[in-house]
Amino acid sequence: MAQFLTVDVIPDCIAGDVSDNNGGEIAGGDVIFSWTAVDVPVGSGMIQSVSALVNAEDGAYGAGSLTDYELLFARSLRGDAPPSIGTIGGGADGVGWQEHLVGAVRLEGTAGVGTLTGLDFNVVYTAATTGNGGNGGRGGNLPLVYQLDHTVNSTPGFDKLYVAAIQVSGRNYGTGVQADGAVTAATAESKTITVKTVDARKIFSVGDQVYVADLDTPIPGTLTKVEATTLTFSVANTTVNISNSDELLTANPIRIKLGIQI
C-alpha cells in the first residue's frame, strides 16, 4: 500500500557570501543554492508535488519578486555526495555531478499559473501531478521517480536526497529589515536585536540564519523567536558588530516542501 509524506528543504542561499544578496540581484541562469541534503525513506520513491514559499523583495509582493526556478535532484554514488553545481550567484558551471542526477522540476513563476496571486509579502509556488502540465505550468515535470544510494547516510532507514536550484531570471533577496540601533557585540552579548522599517515577521522564520548585509559572517546562532520589531537568537552575539540601520538578511529566503510517495 502506498504511503505519503512531506519533506522540508530549507537551503542556505548565502553560504558565507552576502555579495549577491545585499542589494544586488542573483542573475538569470545563476545558482541560487547548491546541493542541500534531506533525509528520505530508504530506496526509491516518487515526488508527486513540490511547493515553495519564497520571500518577496523587501517584504512586498510584486512583479519583481517573480522568477522561475529549476530544481535539480541528485543522489550520492559510491559513497560520495554530488559535487557542487556552482557558486551561489554564479553560473551552474560545476563539473562531475551529472551522473548523480536523478531528475529535475521547473517551478513556474507566472502569477496565476505556477504561483498564487492573493498574498501580500510572500510568493508561493505550487506544482503537482494534477496541475496544468500542458503549457509548462504546474506539474509539467511531475511525478519524478528516484532511486537512491544508501551508502552515505548513517541514519537507519533513510537515504540522502540532494536538491539544488538555478534561478531563471534576475531578482534580489533584500529584506528591508534594518537594525534599530547599533550593537557592539563584545559588550552587549545579547540574544536579541531590535529592528525597524519592515515588519520582521514578513521575512524571517524560526530557525533562520541571519547576516548583516555587508558582512560574510553570520550572526551567531539561529532564530528562536520572530516579532515585528525584535529578533531573538539561540545564543548571544559576541562577535558580529551591527551599525544602526544595517540591513539584516536571511540565509533561508526559500522554503520547499516535497510531497513524496513511497
Side-chain angles (χ1 to χ4, degrees), residues 5 14 33 53 56 67 101 103 112 117 135 145 150 190 232 239 241 249 260:
L5 69 150
I14 292 182
F33 63 88
L53 187 148
T67 180
L101 188 70
T117 59
N135 64 357
V145 177
H150 58 273
S190 176
T232 303
T239 56
N241 293 327
L249 304 175
I260 295 178

Side-chain angles (χ1 to χ4, degrees), residues 154-165:
S154 59
T155 305
F158 289 89
D159 288 336
K160 293 290 188 189
L161 176 66
Y162 296 85
V163 189

Side-chain angles (χ1 to χ4, degrees), residues 100-133:
H100 294 258
L101 188 70
V102 297
V105 171
R106 184 176 174 117
L107 295 181
E108 169 65 52
T110 302
V113 177
T115 59
L116 305 184
T117 59
L119 300 173
D120 290 339
F121 50 85
N122 287 309
V123 184
V124 173
Y125 292 77
T126 177
T129 55
T130 56
N132 175 14

Side-chain angles (χ1 to χ4, degrees), residues 179 181-195 209-212 215 217-224 231-243 246 248:
V183 175
T184 302
T187 55
E189 296 187 358
S190 176
K191 289 186 177 183
T192 62
I193 298 174
T194 304
V195 297
Q209 187 173 60
V210 181
Y211 285 78
V212 179
L215 296 175
T217 302
I219 296 170
T222 57
L223 289 177
T224 60
L231 299 178
T232 303
F233 292 80
S234 57
V235 298
N237 174 19
T238 61
T239 56
V240 176
N241 293 327
I242 304 170
S243 299
D246 271 349
L248 302 179

